[in-house]
Amino acid sequence: MNIILLGPPGAGKGTQAKILVADRGMVQLSTGDMLREVRASGSELGKRFGEMMDRGDLIPDEMIIEMIDARLNEPDCRNGAIFDGFPRTNGQAVALDEMLERKSLPLKAVIELTVDEEALVGRITGRYSCANCGAGYHEIFQRPAVEGVCDACGHTEFKRRPDDNEQTVRDRMEVYRRDTAPIIPHYEAQGLVQRVDGMADIAKVETAVAAILDA
Ligand code: AP5
Ligand code: MG
Ligand code: ZN
């Protein structure tokens, strides 16, 4: 089963994707995480990506589409793919339709996490993750059981994303409104859009997402 998680920065796409990976063995395809890996490699391309990401700009469609197309050929994606942060433009949505058709991978649902934009700034500026395993946390909403120790791996160092500051978040939201929200009608026309209240707590969102997957 393949799904798209759609929503503005901080809506909870990554948080819910990680829960689905743990509970159902699905595969998280986060284009943001893939780009951060290229960035961390220090290559020329990685540097260019980093500059665009720090401005909150989108990386050109062709590169993103190529990245996802290649990743979808790996056998683990047969366990079900969760598209997290992709597609983000009309061009990406059309390319994904074509790719899924070609690879015989049907789309079960496009889950839109609906949220209040002002709350998102607080979510993003309070976000951090384990420097070792990448487990995600929040200063208020998702603290580790023991302060300063990762629940998942016991590591004690954490990191923050360079684009998680208020100015960049506002720019990313603007880009979401301008380029990404307009793709929702594309999926509405296919009868695939399901809305979930992303302002509910993490466990409630998880239950609502599970109900859609099990329907
Ligand atoms: P990307 O990494 O995709 O960032 P984003 O879309 O801005 O989304 P976030 O990862 O910030 O939010 P999220 O919804 O995953 O929230 P999370 O679950 O972590 O993209 C980054 C950049 O890469 C883009 O700006 C662009 O430059 C580039 N890029 C990526 N994909 C691209 C593409 N397809 N095309 C072109 N360019 C692309 O939650 C946030 C925090 O809130 C966490 O701390 C969490 O603990 C907490 N939280 C989560 N859910 C709840 C809840 N229900 N209640 C309370 N707290 C919660
Ligand atoms: Mg994310
Ligand atoms: Zn960890």
Side-chain angles (χ1 to χ4, degrees):
M1 179 183 323
N2 307 292
I3 61 162
I4 295 173
L5 293 179
L6 202 67
K13 304 180 295 290
T15 302
Q16 294 301 323
K18 287 198 166 67
I19 292 173
L20 293 172
V21 169
D23 291 356
R24 298 177 187 243
M26 294 171 77
V27 178
Q28 178 187 9
L29 300 185
S30 159
T31 41
D33 286 350
M34 293 176 193
L35 293 166
R36 279 183 285 280
E37 271 176 38
V38 180
R39 180 181 194 172
S41 75
S43 66
E44 268 317 304
L45 186 64
K47 280 184 205 147
R48 270 174 47 209
F49 285 172
E51 283 164 17
M52 289 187 252
M53 292 165 85
D54 288 350
R55 285 197 303 266
D57 292 343
L58 296 180
I59 276 65
D61 281 356
E62 314 80 68
M63 293 183 189
I64 300 286
I65 292 163
E66 206 179 293
M67 219 164 62
I68 285 282
D69 197 346
R71 181 66 183 87
L72 270 179
N73 288 337
E74 289 173 39
D76 60 340
C77 289
R78 295 273 151 189
N79 298 338
I82 308 155
F83 297 99
D84 161 6
F86 173 89
R88 260 173 147 95
T89 63
N90 198 57
Q92 292 181 19
V94 170
L96 179 63
D97 281 353
E98 185 273 321
M99 239 184 267
L100 293 175
E101 168 98 41
R102 177 161 41 87
K103 298 177 200 287
S104 305
L105 297 168
L107 202 53
K108 164 100 179 176
V110 176
I111 302 178
E112 184 193 358
L113 299 170
T114 59
V115 278
D116 159 42
E117 282 203 3
E118 276 315 303
L120 296 185
V121 175
R123 281 204 194 166
I124 296 267
T125 50
R127 168 168 60 185
Y128 62 97
S129 64
C130 172
N132 179 47
C133 75
Y137 296 99
H138 189 280
E139 286 163 5
I140 300 164
F141 307 122
Q142 199 182 6
R143 300 169 63 149
V146 179
E147 201 54 48
V149 182
C150 175
D151 293 339
C153 76
H155 201 77
T156 54
E157 275 168 288
F158 298 87
K159 60 179 184 193
R160 287 178 187 262
R161 280 169 43 178
D163 60 342
D164 278 356
N165 55 73
E166 181 163 353
Q167 186 51 53
T168 309
V169 170
R170 295 203 183 273
D171 294 341
R172 281 152 61 198
M173 280 174 187
E174 181 58 37
V175 169
Y176 179 82
R177 274 194 300 267
R178 190 190 64 210
D179 296 331
T180 306
I183 71 174
I184 295 172
H186 175 87
Y187 292 111
E188 265 167 348
Q190 300 178 33
L192 288 171
V193 178
Q194 305 262 9
R195 291 196 170 80
V196 167
D197 175 15
M199 293 313 294
D201 61 41
I202 294 173
K204 287 218 179 81
V205 178
E206 175 185 348
T207 306
V209 169
I212 294 169
L213 265 70
D214 294 335

